[in-house]
């Protein structure tokens, strides 16, 4: 574990250097690493300790660059949203939201191929009320995943902020969110001793990163800053997609089996069968419980269950036809199939 903490510490310094250069993204880079060390439910706590410290240190370093107009539109709407998101973490699997975030980040690929003149003319300031919507969404996503960074970096660029302004304004907008999240995570018991120590390691690394990155930013042009930012969004999205997909496959036993004319997609305890036959066309079959049968078939099921040892039920969907039902009835290991 000591080796993992050291690697996390060094990786955090590099990630938050990259975060400052790109206008965000360290959190999304660290999520796949923390997923390997912690349960998904406590990853946001560990990550938030580090991002809160990072925001405080960046405010100290770049405070003169904060855009207060954006701050006063963003924060009031983000606070109630982060309360909702942090509360829902007990009921929502963060991995699925991380998967959505990954696709959203990867969607920035076209921005990588824009020419310089497009960067200069296309980035028009959006209406102020858009900031309220962004603030709410940022708070909600941050409450569940513990990270927002690059996800909303594109909107800061749309408002025409320069690189130092993006770093400073983001830090000011998010510091309150991170503090509120820490209080909520602790009150809900969504933390552990290991998560605390990993969070403290990230926190120390972010301070080192914040106070050294100010010597790097002046050497970057605005155009290069934007390109690096969009590149980081795409790379973080791909990394998050791979790491989160693997975790979902393991936790929910997601799998695909292809045999002859049918394919079986399994998720948790459910199998979805996709079958193709030249005479019947494409069929999708889903296992169901007896309670899901129509009333006229429940009577049939009740009569059959008194005779057969085991009965499996499937609902069959076919194109342009009403759903049908199949009864797989076993007695003395012999199968009898009925279709209604």
């Amino acid at each position: 574990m000591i080796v993992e903490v050291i690697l996390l510490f060094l990786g955090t310094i590099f990630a938050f250097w990259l975060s400052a250069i790109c206008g965000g993204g360290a959190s999304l880079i660290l999520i796949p690493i923390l997923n390997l060390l912690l349960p998904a439910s406590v990853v946001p706590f560990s990550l938030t300790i580090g991002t809160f410290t990072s925001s405080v240190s960046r405010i100290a370093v770049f405070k003169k660059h904060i855009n207060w107009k954006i701050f006063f539109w963003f924060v009031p709407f983000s606070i109630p949203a982060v309360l909702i998101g942090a509360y829902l973490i007990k009921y929502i699997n963060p991995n699925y939201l991380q998967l959505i975030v990954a696709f959203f980040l990867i969607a920035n690929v076209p921005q990588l191929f824009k020419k310089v003149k497009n960067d200069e003319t296309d980035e028009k300031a959006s209406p102020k009320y858009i900031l309220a919507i962004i603030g709410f969404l940022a708070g909600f996503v941050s409450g569940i995943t513990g990270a927002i960074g690059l996800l909303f970096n594109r909107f800061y660029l749309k408002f025409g902020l320069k690189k130092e302004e993006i770093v400073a304004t983001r830090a000011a907008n998010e510091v309150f969110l991170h503090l509120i999240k820490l209080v909520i995570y602790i009150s809900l018991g969504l933390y552990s001793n290991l998560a605390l120590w990993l969070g403290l390691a990230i926190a120390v690394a972010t301070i080192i990163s914040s106070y050294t990155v100010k010597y790097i930013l002046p050497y970057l042009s605005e155009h290069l800053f934007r390109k690096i930012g969009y590149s980081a969004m795409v790379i973080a999205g791909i990394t998050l997609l791979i790491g989160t997909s693997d975790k979902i496959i393991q936790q929910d036993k997601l799998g695909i089996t292809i045999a002859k004319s049918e394919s079986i997609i399994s998720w948790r305890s459910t199998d979805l069968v996709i079958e193709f036959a030249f005479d019947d066309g494409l069929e999708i079959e889903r296992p169901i419980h007896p309670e899901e049968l129509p009333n006229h078939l429940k009577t049939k099921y009740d009569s059959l269950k008194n005779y057969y040892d085991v009965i499996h039920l499937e609902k069959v969907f076919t194109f342009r036809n009403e759903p049908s039902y199949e009864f797989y009835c076993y007695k003395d290991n012999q199968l009898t199939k009925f279709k209604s």
Side-chain angles (χ1 to χ4, degrees):
M1 182 56 67
I2 295 178
V3 175
E4 284 86 347
V5 172
I6 293 174
L7 291 176
L8 178 65
F9 180 82
L10 297 176
T12 299
I13 294 177
F14 174 78
F16 276 90
W17 276 343
L18 184 63
S19 170
I21 294 171
C22 302
S27 299
L28 295 171
I29 294 172
L30 293 177
I31 283 176
I33 300 175
L34 289 171
N35 278 338
L36 298 175
L37 303 173
L38 296 168
S41 60
V42 298
V43 165
F45 171 77
S46 185
L47 192 59
T48 302
I49 293 176
T51 50
F52 170 74
T53 308
S54 173
S55 294
V56 172
S57 58
R58 286 183 182 181
I59 290 172
V61 176
F62 297 101
K63 56 181 178 292
K64 66 179 181 179
H65 297 287
I66 296 174
N67 187 311
W68 292 107
K69 289 183 180 179
I70 290 181
F71 172 85
F72 288 119
W73 272 92
F74 185 98
V75 172
F77 295 92
S78 63
I79 291 177
V82 77
L83 294 172
I84 297 171
Y87 177 77
L88 289 179
I89 196 174
K90 296 195 75 171
Y91 307 99
I92 297 177
N93 187 340
N95 288 321
Y96 287 99
L97 186 57
Q98 289 176 17
L99 197 64
I100 296 173
V101 169
F103 285 115
F104 188 89
L105 290 170
I106 295 173
N108 285 288
V109 168
Q111 297 294 328
L112 298 177
F113 302 99
K114 279 192 173 183
K115 297 180 181 179
V116 177
K117 62 178 182 180
N118 289 339
D119 282 339
E120 294 171 350
T121 59
D122 289 353
E123 304 294 353
K124 299 177 182 179
S126 302
K128 291 291 190 297
Y129 71 86
I130 296 295
L131 275 172
I133 298 174
I134 296 169
F136 185 88
L137 293 175
F140 182 74
V141 174
S142 181
I144 295 178
T145 66
I148 52 177
L150 284 175
L151 184 59
F152 295 95
N153 190 40
R154 182 173 178 177
F155 295 100
Y156 286 102
L157 292 171
K158 287 290 184 181
F159 278 87
L161 272 65
K162 303 302 181 182
K163 53 183 184 290
E164 289 87 0
E165 290 178 311
I166 291 177
V167 173
T169 307
R170 276 191 58 250
N173 286 346
E174 295 166 17
V175 68
F176 292 102
L177 300 185
H178 298 321
L179 181 59
I180 293 170
K181 285 187 297 180
L182 284 176
V183 174
I184 295 174
Y185 294 154
I186 293 173
S187 65
L188 295 177
L190 298 173
Y191 67 95
S192 67
N193 289 334
L194 178 58
L196 174 62
W197 285 109
L198 292 179
L200 293 175
I202 294 173
V204 174
T206 62
I207 295 173
I208 296 174
S209 177
S210 295
Y211 279 90
T212 54
V213 77
K214 65 180 180 180
Y215 300 106
I216 301 175
L217 282 182
Y219 294 98
L220 299 177
S221 67
E222 294 295 336
H223 173 67
L224 180 59
F225 177 81
R226 291 171 182 269
K227 290 302 180 185
I228 294 175
Y230 287 123
S231 299
M233 291 184 213
V234 174
I235 293 171
I238 294 172
T239 304
L240 193 59
L241 175 63
I242 295 172
T244 305
S245 298
D246 183 63
K247 200 155 191 177
I248 289 175
I249 290 171
Q250 292 180 16
Q251 287 184 348
D252 294 334
K253 299 179 175 62
L254 178 65
I256 300 176
T257 304
I258 300 176
K260 295 183 179 180
S261 62
E262 66 178 27
S263 299
I264 302 174
I265 302 174
S266 58
W267 181 71
R268 295 187 177 178
S269 59
T270 301
D271 288 336
L272 185 69
V273 180
I274 302 175
E275 182 176 347
F276 178 80
F278 287 103
D279 51 348
D280 297 326
L282 183 67
E283 293 183 347
I284 298 177
E285 303 171 357
R286 179 177 67 86
I288 62 172
H289 296 288
E291 300 79 31
E292 299 178 64
L293 287 170
N295 290 330
H296 70 283
L297 291 179
K298 287 181 180 178
T299 304
K300 180 176 181 178
Y301 173 79
D302 290 337
S303 63
L304 290 174
K305 72 178 183 180
N306 295 325
Y307 178 76
Y308 290 97
D309 300 325
V310 178
I311 299 177
H312 295 299
L313 304 173
E314 287 187 351
K315 188 173 184 179
V316 182
F317 303 88
T318 55
F319 184 62
R320 291 183 177 178
N321 291 318
E322 290 294 323
S324 59
Y325 298 85
E326 294 180 348
F327 294 69
Y328 294 84
C329 307
Y330 293 86
K331 185 175 180 63
D332 299 328
N333 292 324
Q334 296 297 315
L335 170 65
T336 303
K337 180 179 177 182
F338 300 97
K339 189 169 183 178
S340 301

